[in-house]
Amino acid sequence: MNKILHKIYLFLILLFLYAPIATLVVLSFNASKTRAKWGGFTFKWYQALFQNEVILEAFYTTLLIALLSALFATIIGTIAAIAMNGMKKGSKAAFMAVTNIPMLNAEIVTGISLMLLFISFGMRFGFSTVLFAHITFNIPYVILSVLPRLKQMNPSTFEAALDLGASPVYAFFKVILPDIFPGIISGFLMAFTMSLDDFIITHFTKGPGLDTLSTKIYTELKKGIKPEMYSLSTLIFITVLILLLLVNKTPKDKKNKKGSLQEEIIL
Amino acid sequence: MSNRLIDLVNISKSFGSSLILDEMNLYVQENEFLTLLGPSGCGKTTTLRIIGGFESPDQGKVLFNGSDIASLPPNKRQVNTVFQKYALFTHMTIAENIAFGLKIKNKSKAYIQDKVKYALKLVNLDGFDHRMPDSLSGGQQQRIAIARAIVNEPKVLLLDEPLGALDLKLRQGMQYELIRLKNELGITFIYVTHDQEEALTMSDTIVVMNQGYIQQIGTPETIYNEPENAFVADFIGDSNILGSIMLRDELVEILGVKFACIDKGFGENKPVDVVIRPEDVELLSPNETNLNGVVTHLIFKGVHYEMEVEANGFTWLVHSTKMVPVGAFVSIAVAPGNIQIMNKPVSEDEEATAIDE
């Protein structure tokens, strides 16, 4: 009896979570233009989507920004994590708090403050401002996925490499990097995902003429809903889903189950 | 003088406001098994890390074969370290771990292969080449850590509590293993431990340290039989330490009873510390000597009985193969040669103030 209740409860939760998305996915295959009735299965909205040059350009911009911002954020974040790992407890906790705040901060606040910052520096809004903004909000995710890896490492490992004749740089690339690499990869994927589906911060930092997929969808929706947007949203959802699955798969922690990324982020 | 391999001259080191080592002087001879022994925080690990190059002394010299290496980074030193928690490279195979140092030195493939084989044989882990470190037990990992260090043919092998994480049985086995290795390799071992039994079993020389100061340097026999102060006596093995008065040469008054001893030169009526090992205390029938007491505790320890005897206000620890029941009245005798007289630790107060500064 109890078991059945458990299952019903779980089913309801999943239903509420995924019903809107499922609707979207179903509608993206609906041949009828209205949302009210089912006009048969079709791929034509997907076809239309891939013939729409404005969308394709937005897609290209999104991908480029996601890749570049994830790449820079991974490099900066990894270095920051290594530095934080070497700090004393007090300053490490302080840095950790500072890193956590941007993630918990309302995106609209981050977006507006970045916008104001760029204005005060007299920067022209466009590709570079969006890229800077994305790097900024991506760094904490990288730190949070690399730091647990570093903590797990035996602190003597680096010294052991030096002891055996390695220079500090050689020791880093041969001994430290391979050990924390899964963390770096999951940090990169996390950053990539975050950049890919960001709307608010991009909206405030992009300026006219530049669009990512999310901002494009927003402007298109204002003109009236076209079914292509359903298929585009569906594709974005599936991409993000796959990326998240990858992120969750990378840290194969046999020993430290607490090190999982999600828990760290909740903290 | 010629075979002094490492010479630490006036080494001082502090972390923040706490002084870890204070003007320490110590030399290590070639081919010696030297153990730094002391409680945690005594500076033994710091000393080892200074020799290994992981810490640099605030002042003083580290002479290696006569030249100062205090500022040389660890990768340029002719010493290798075996770390407490093995510190194996987990993403490399055992063979890759052992070959790590040799690859850096650009040795030929054939040479490296031979060396890895030889090292594995030396630590009795033939055929483990392609295993991963995680698949090995703690004791095996520790042997690999040793193999990884010794393939580089260091002049000195530094060992930082290498057996600390192993269980008792394994630890004893590894002690013999280490002695054998040292004899086969003919290199100097500097060993850090807080375990007095380990130190007594393996060392040629023991350096007893406390609070950044060397308390005594000597062979295991001298350290055990002739401790220089109460700290050493207390730290090495069980002991009865009694404040006493040296009446004159070869006569000491312990708990108001006169005992013959063999020490001279302390002066007359001088307060001293006396150490008597529990196995040196003889229990006789009441009134056979002037020190009478009663047995208050009795524990069977396997090899011997451990008893506590209350006599003249002092609880004597006694080890004996002869059992005396609790409540029995006895008298205590100690052979003159088994009474070790030590100066009162004047220096300990000085040390305490030095550290407070």
Side-chain angles (χ1 to χ4, degrees), chain A residues 154 159 162-163 166 174 179, chain B residues 49 75 80-81 85 90-91:
Chain A
N154 181 342
E159 287 185 348
L162 295 185
D163 186 75
K174 270 283 183 185
D179 256 19
Chain B
R49 289 174 63 80
N75 47 334
N80 283 116
T81 311
K85 286 178 195 136
T90 45
H91 58 281

Side-chain angles (χ1 to χ4, degrees), chain A residues 8-30:
Chain A
I8 291 173
Y9 183 66
L10 194 68
F11 173 76
L12 282 177
I13 287 183
L14 289 176
L15 184 73
F16 283 123
L17 278 177
Y18 287 99
I21 297 168
T23 316
L24 182 86
V25 175
V26 169
L27 282 176
S28 75
F29 293 109
N30 186 2

Side-chain angles (χ1 to χ4, degrees), chain A residues 154 156-168 170-171 174-176 178-179 254-255, chain B residues 49 54 74-75 79-81 83 85 87-92 100-101 104-105 134 148-149 152:
Chain A
N154 181 342
S156 307
T157 312
F158 182 67
E159 287 185 348
L162 295 185
D163 186 75
L164 294 165
S167 66
Y170 184 88
K174 270 283 183 185
V175 174
I176 307 274
D179 256 19
K254 281 172 281 175
K255 298 172 202 160
Chain B
R49 289 174 63 80
F54 303 112
N75 47 334
V79 299
N80 283 116
T81 311
F83 292 88
K85 286 178 195 136
L88 295 179
F89 308 132
T90 45
H91 58 281
M92 298 183 195
F100 189 87
I104 290 169
K105 293 190 190 97
D134 279 350
R148 183 179 65 176
N152 301 292

Side-chain angles (χ1 to χ4, degrees), chain A residues 14 25 27 39 49 53-54 63 77 94 122 134 177 187 192 205 212 251 253:
Chain A
L14 289 176
V25 175
L27 282 176
L49 184 68
E53 274 182 30
V54 187
L63 212 60
H134 280 223
L177 203 59
F192 186 82
T205 52
T212 65
D253 288 14

Side-chain angles (χ1 to χ4, degrees), chain B residues 303-322:
Chain B
V303 196
H304 57 75
Y305 293 93
E306 183 176 293
M307 287 163 279
E308 278 177 22
V309 177
E310 284 284 338
N312 287 17
F314 182 82
T315 311
W316 292 74
L317 189 68
V318 183
H319 291 171
S320 169
T321 50
K322 274 177 266 166

